Amino acid sequence: MATLTESRSSGYNEKEQNKAGLKDDAEVDHYALLPPDEANLLRRQIHIDEPKPRFLNFYRYSTKFDIFMFFIGGAAAIIGGILLPLMTIIFGALTQTFTNYFLGQVTKAHFNHEVSKYALYFVYLGIGQLVFTCTSTFIFIDRGEVLSSRIRQRYLSATLRQNIGYFDKLGSGEITSRITSDTNLVQEGMSEKVSLVLNGLATFITAFVVGFIKSWKLTLIMCSVVLAIVLTLGTLSKFMVRFSGKSLEGYSVGGTIAEEVFASVRNVHAFGAQHRLAKEYDRYLDITEHWGLRQSLIFGLMIGLLWFYVYCNYALGFWQGSRFLERDDISVGGIISVLMSSLIGAFSMGTTAPNFTNITNGITACAKIYATIDRVPAVDATSDSGDSLATVNGDIELKNVKFIYPSRPDVTVLEDMNLQIEAGTTVALVGASGSGKSTIIGLLERFYLPVKGTITLDGHDISILNVRWLRQQIALVSQEPTLFACSVYENISYGLIGTEYENASDDVKRKLIIEACEQANAWDFIQTLPEGLETNVGERGFLMSGGQKQRIAIARAIVSNPKILLLDEATSALDTKSEGIVQDALDRASQSRTTIVIAHRLSTIKDADKIIVMSKGMIVEQGTHNELLDRKGMYYNLVEAQKIFKRNSDEDGENGTEEMKLELHEDSNIVDIMRTKSVQSVSSQALKHINKAPERTYSIWQLIVMLNEFSKPEKWFMVLGVFGAFINGVAYPVMSVLFAKCIVAFEVYPSMYPHMRSQINMFSGFYFLLAVVEGFAHIICVGSLGFVGQRLIHRIRYESFRQMLRQDISYFDRQENTTGALTSTLSKDAQSVEGLSGATLGQIINSIVTIIVGIILSLSVAWKLALVCTACMPILIGCGFIRFWILAKFQERAKKSYDDSASYACESASAIRTVVSLTREEGVLKKYTDAVESQVTSGRWASFKSAFLYGCSQSLALFVMALGFWFGSTQLASGKLGTTQFFITFSALIFGAQSAGTVFSFAPDMGKAKQAAINIHKLFDSIPLIDSWSDEGIVPETVTGDIEFKDVHFRYPTRPEVPVLRGLDLTIKSGQYVALVGSSGCGKSTTISLIESFYSPLSGQILLDGVDIASLNVTAYREHIALVSQEPTLYAGSIKYNIKLGASRDVTDEEIIEACKQANIHDFITSLPDGYDTLCGSRGALLSGGQKQRIAIARALIRQPRILLLDEATSALDSESEKIVQAALDAAAKGRTTIAVAHRLSTIQNADVIYVFENGKILESGTHQELIDMKSKYYELVKLQALERNA
């Protein structure tokens, strides 16, 4: 027996781990065995340059106006930064005035006059601060929004122009992560954070300029700290950028997993794979956290060292200043100005430091986005280069074509392929899955480049033709049709892009669209939809049945009257009646144009001008249907495998078929008209009793409690971090005491200088001690809170992901819960909450402690002055709070807008083949651009109000200083206050006021964090009606497999106005093989969904072994069921990993091999170089439709279910595989209940009972032969699929 090589339990191979940043060693070169020219061609299709983070690249999409505005904003930020150190000159002059007054050198009147003059200077500085801070903050926030929206647009534009090979390597979830969370990081890094850094740097530099003017010697000595700061920042920031990049890479892979899982949530629920997929997602969260922790620790070390240098600087300044004062090289005012300017410069550097994290994160994220924007695709659909032919006949030729998929270089798909297709003919490609049929279509559409050989259109090599023009001559209908989340009308109108009708009037377009719908047999069902052509089809068309989606896709293809029509299993999802009518339409549409058809259902291609039979990338035989039957070769065997057993006597009744077709065709309309006249339905009455849950609101306290619950395992780290922040906060009041003591020590006559020096030496020693304590406290605070923050973001993402997967299917049907929106929420909300943790949280606690301890200290020392200054604090805090409130509201609106646009971008990226084949790139980009630009415009007023309030909170500190100095001096002059008391109170409160201002510089982060916390709380409060986590309900010990539907009425929760099941009665006995057939949209797949307990019926009962399934434990119940869907879903792991997802228990290699043998896929897997460890690609993109379907069947069989649900389980298989798989499924059905939905009737002719559905009810039932004898609807369907020799 073959053995499996041991792969990781997750199924993700080393290549993906390298990508996530776990390994740094070079990847294995999979192209090494190919000739250099072939290897280079394949590499070019998937290669992405390594991003290089550079600050100057950040603003490269700025227009001249943006640069001008940034210049104004930057100048305003710098001027605002300059104003604060100028305050130190005033402060120094005032201190000198105080000293002169106490030494008796000036009169009381002169003292009061000087104090009043300098207090007014403070007021003028305050007004300047308000104007310049408001201007700079608004400009940077506004331009940051504009630029980040521009980058979003450029990124989406660049993504849409990439060749398809690029997407084989990259998941659409990664694109969603980039366009949401990464562009958010860019926006934060280039907007107000830059203004704050410029302001801080200007303050820092000006402070030293002031120092040099006052005393160049003392300032030069104190400049040693600047050198230390620069060296520390330069060294450690390199590590921060590297770790930030690794962290982002890790999450981008996690984002892809999340996106794949949300896109296939029915599959996840059916197999109970929520927990296992959450664990898989968690592995990449571990990687993100791994690097995030390192970044936090480096940042903690950086902040700790910065503050150590700052406090050492005070010790040095006072110590050296006292010596200069003794030598009469400097005045007391000069020392204070130099020290105050150093203090303010260092303070600004400290508060600016957290903003460097945002900027480095932004630069790193930006580099990754720009790497995509700068990538030159191997095939550029947006380029104007290339020829366009004046007329197109449609002659197609493949000459010596060799092809290898770039992401699977070890497998040659086409080898020396030669094929000629004459203009105006219909050519069918048939053969086993993986034989290269769909590859030919991909090459014609220029999705990929052939490794060798040429493909010509009317004798012209398609590689020299303009790609956009070429794709506009071709219409493609894929095996899995993709619709966009808009109306039916819009979806079909996309087929007119590039034609003369693209910009035609609505009336002209509508007429063409209705004609196309009638041709595609879609018009009848469209008219029954609630809003007709204007009905929204839902994300990826989920509100439509498979057949309805396919008919809309066909209408979209034929509406433009294309010269070349490519049909890749275009009717696989249609019921037989629709298929017959649509096939007639396609046959008519094929006239006078070149048509290439891929089909496994051979009845659809028997009239083709030429049938090409393929195997392993080569042509085995070709000819007409009759010629190939006469040869009795491979095609003959395929036809035999699909024949439906019928009695000879069935030949009569031919005449009645046409009448029956017409009668059945009109049925749905008649029923619909009758229904509107009838009394209110059972479903309508049931819907009346369903109450909509009220919108919940949450207080700040509730949000804090929730986040605290998330961080409970790290509570001791939280305590340690908060303790560190508390020590940091106490430092300012302690420093104000030391500062006051030093100033008082200076106020002595020269004869007392020796005593003054001993006093200053002692206080300088205290300053050094404070430096050591503060340095360690900052490292502990930022390191501990950074650890808590990284764990918090990990836990929120993981638990949110699990909570999302806990929701029932109706949750994912809602318009606001699209795959893109959920992926975006998962990525962004946790990141926003993290904006209030780590260094930011430490800074906020630090500032609050400074304010409180400062006020307490001031009140205990000089209560009158303290009360006057403290009275201003509420105004200061009020400004900040209102700003926070405005930003929170703004974030709430922004979330909806960005979620919608992110969802749209994700949808377009995941449907990239459809987008490029329709040449819809410009339309997608325009719609996305309109969405993000409207958000920028609507947010402008909120940004201005926020900037104005921030300006107020910053300038009020200077107004408080003016008031404090003026009032304090009057107290001093009247002898009610001593110098020590004045300076302790004043310094403590001024630092307090500055801290209050600092707290509210984090208001944008608080606003985002609050909105994110609300979203998370809402998600965790959402308990689904069908709860897979619930322990309630009966756990069925043994299941026989009897299923019964009793008068079941059902409507989808998102479309309650459309009845689906209207009193369904159905009985399935244990061990029976039951088939459900009928036209698209009649309720077959809905019946499967109800058996899986994806939804609850509005009325009636579904019984399993006589027990209502509503009373069973849903997880235990689903353990006995396996589902194989119409559109098979695989994940981006290995084949082995995908199969193992089918079983909730541990399975052996032997069981996997046995399941694969039963599903007829084992031989194919073992032929691959990596065998069972072969990667499937994102959504199984690296495998053909038939290969995916067989792996999905193996996944179902490994479950060993009592009930097997097959929803078009063999629709994607070629005839040969279908015959073998059908035999396997027939064998697998023995001893278990099997329910199959099928349009290909040859697959279900041996069923024990066939139920024919019509309008949500059973029209007729019986065995194949009994239904044939009835000569009713089933008989007509069989007639339509006949495969006899053509006349």
Side-chain angles (χ1 to χ4, degrees), residues 923-1160:
V924 167
L925 189 62
K926 185 178 184 310
K927 191 168 176 182
Y928 181 75
T929 301
D930 292 345
V932 292
E933 285 184 353
S934 68
Q935 167 58 26
V936 171
T937 311
S938 66
R940 200 157 269 152
W941 178 235
S943 298
F944 176 74
K945 286 190 284 189
S946 158
F948 177 73
L949 288 163
Y950 179 56
C952 287
S953 65
Q954 292 302 97
S955 60
L956 275 168
L958 288 162
F959 297 147
V960 173
M961 279 187 190
L963 179 64
F965 257 117
W966 175 79
F967 183 75
S969 64
T970 57
Q971 294 283 298
L972 272 168
S974 60
K976 293 176 184 175
L977 206 61
T979 312
T980 308
Q981 292 167 304
F982 172 78
F983 276 107
I984 287 175
T985 306
F986 184 79
S987 303
L989 288 175
I990 292 312
F991 293 139
Q994 281 190 314
S995 289
T998 305
V999 166
F1000 291 109
S1001 72
F1002 297 111
D1005 298 322
M1006 292 181 194
K1008 287 178 186 173
K1010 178 174 182 264
Q1011 184 55 44
I1014 288 170
N1015 299 337
I1016 293 162
H1017 212 312
K1018 272 185 189 167
L1019 174 63
F1020 280 85
D1021 282 351
S1022 172
I1023 296 168
L1025 289 172
I1026 301 168
D1027 189 358
S1028 58
W1029 284 12
S1030 173
D1031 293 327
E1032 292 175 11
I1034 304 160
V1035 175
E1037 295 298 326
T1038 54
V1039 170
T1040 319
D1042 287 317
I1043 295 172
E1044 187 178 356
F1045 278 64
K1046 282 186 173 178
D1047 192 30
V1048 170
H1049 290 256
F1050 178 73
R1051 298 181 183 196
Y1052 284 100
T1054 47
R1055 274 169 54 198
E1057 68 283 356
V1058 180
V1060 181
L1061 298 182
R1062 313 180 187 194
L1064 180 68
D1065 290 298
L1066 191 69
T1067 305
I1068 299 165
K1069 298 240 175 359
S1070 171
Q1072 274 190 331
Y1073 190 122
V1074 172
L1076 313 179
V1077 300
S1079 57
S1080 293
C1082 65
K1084 306 183 300 295
S1085 293
T1086 303
T1087 303
I1088 297 283
S1089 293
L1090 288 172
I1091 292 171
E1092 270 284 6
S1093 198
F1094 288 162
Y1095 304 94
S1096 298
L1098 288 172
S1099 67
Q1101 285 183 308
I1102 303 166
L1103 307 177
L1104 172 70
D1105 298 342
V1107 180
D1108 191 334
I1109 65 168
S1111 65
L1112 298 176
N1113 177 276
V1114 68
T1115 307
Y1117 164 66
R1118 284 180 185 155
E1119 282 289 322
H1120 301 283
I1121 302 174
L1123 170 69
V1124 183
S1125 305
Q1126 189 169 342
E1127 293 174 12
T1129 303
L1130 299 183
Y1131 303 101
S1134 65
I1135 292 173
K1136 178 183 178 182
Y1137 164 68
N1138 271 285
I1139 294 169
K1140 284 175 86 170
L1141 278 177
S1144 53
R1145 60 198 163 79
D1146 285 332
V1147 290
T1148 62
D1149 289 353
E1150 287 70 25
E1151 286 178 284
I1152 293 172
I1153 290 168
E1154 188 53 41
C1156 290
K1157 282 180 176 175
Q1158 285 180 19
N1160 187 32

Side-chain angles (χ1 to χ4, degrees), residues 650-943:
D650 290 345
E651 292 306 315
D652 58 6
E654 191 72 43
N655 298 332
T657 308
E658 286 305 314
E659 287 174 35
M660 200 180 304
K661 266 191 207 175
L662 183 64
E663 186 181 300
L664 286 164
H665 183 61
E666 293 172 348
D667 249 10
S668 57
N669 289 348
I670 295 163
V671 171
D672 211 69
I673 293 162
M674 287 169 65
R675 192 181 65 81
T676 56
K677 294 175 185 171
S678 67
V679 293
Q680 201 174 39
S681 68
V682 175
S683 297
S684 302
Q685 290 167 4
L687 283 165
K688 275 186 176 178
H689 301 294
I690 297 174
N691 298 318
K692 195 178 178 186
E695 187 74 17
R696 288 201 61 173
T697 54
Y698 302 94
S699 66
I700 299 267
W701 178 248
Q702 284 175 297
L703 300 178
I704 290 168
V705 168
M706 177 195 73
L707 293 177
N708 185 52
E709 281 296 314
F710 271 115
S711 295
K712 232 176 192 171
E714 291 79 43
K715 65 180 176 185
W716 294 114
F717 284 98
M718 178 70 89
V719 169
L720 194 62
V722 170
F723 176 71
F726 180 81
I727 298 296
N728 296 335
V730 169
Y732 285 122
V734 169
M735 196 175 68
S736 67
V737 173
L738 293 175
F739 190 74
K741 292 285 185 186
C742 287
I743 290 173
V744 172
F746 285 140
E747 290 178 349
V748 292
Y749 292 104
S751 59
M752 299 284 288
Y753 280 169
H755 175 70
M756 176 267 291
R757 277 193 55 192
S758 72
Q759 288 286 94
I760 293 295
N761 287 349
M762 180 178 69
F763 293 131
S764 296
F766 285 144
Y767 262 120
F768 181 74
L769 182 63
L770 189 63
V772 173
V773 171
E774 284 298 288
F776 278 115
H778 272 97
I779 292 171
I780 289 166
C781 167
V782 178
S784 299
L785 293 178
F787 173 74
V788 173
Q790 288 299 327
R791 294 293 297 158
L792 176 68
I793 196 171
H794 181 150
R795 203 168 284 121
I796 285 175
R797 277 178 173 159
Y798 176 63
E799 294 299 338
S800 296
F801 185 64
R802 289 184 69 236
Q803 185 69 18
M804 285 172 181
L805 292 185
R806 175 192 183 182
Q807 303 305 313
D808 55 28
I809 301 300
S810 61
Y811 173 85
F812 297 91
D813 290 348
R814 288 181 221 144
Q815 203 159 357
E816 69 270 21
N817 294 331
T818 61
T819 299
L822 293 176
T823 311
S824 163
T825 299
L826 206 56
S827 171
K828 205 163 77 256
D829 282 355
Q831 195 179 61
S832 298
V833 169
E834 196 223 4
L836 264 189
S837 60
T840 312
L841 179 63
Q843 186 67 53
I844 291 167
I845 294 169
N846 179 340
S847 300
I848 291 167
V849 171
T850 300
I851 294 166
I852 294 167
V853 175
I855 290 170
I856 292 168
L857 178 65
S858 304
L859 286 169
S860 63
V861 172
W863 66 271
K864 283 184 182 176
L865 177 59
L867 281 177
V868 168
C869 293
T870 306
C872 303
M873 291 270 184
I875 304 169
L876 202 66
I877 290 164
C879 280
F881 179 76
I882 295 165
R883 180 176 192 236
F884 165 64
W885 183 79
I886 288 169
L887 284 166
K889 287 286 174 197
F890 172 62
Q891 283 301 322
E892 203 173 329
R893 288 199 308 275
K895 180 193 183 302
K896 169 127 189 33
S897 173
Y898 280 129
D899 272 0
D900 290 348
S901 58
S903 170
Y904 182 70
C906 173
E907 179 190 50
S908 303
S910 58
I912 189 67
R913 287 167 192 257
T914 307
V915 170
V916 299
S917 68
L918 291 169
T919 64
R920 239 204 97 200
E921 297 95 334
E922 282 180 17
V924 167
L925 189 62
K926 185 178 184 310
K927 191 168 176 182
Y928 181 75
T929 301
D930 292 345
V932 292
E933 285 184 353
S934 68
Q935 167 58 26
V936 171
T937 311
S938 66
R940 200 157 269 152
W941 178 235
S943 298

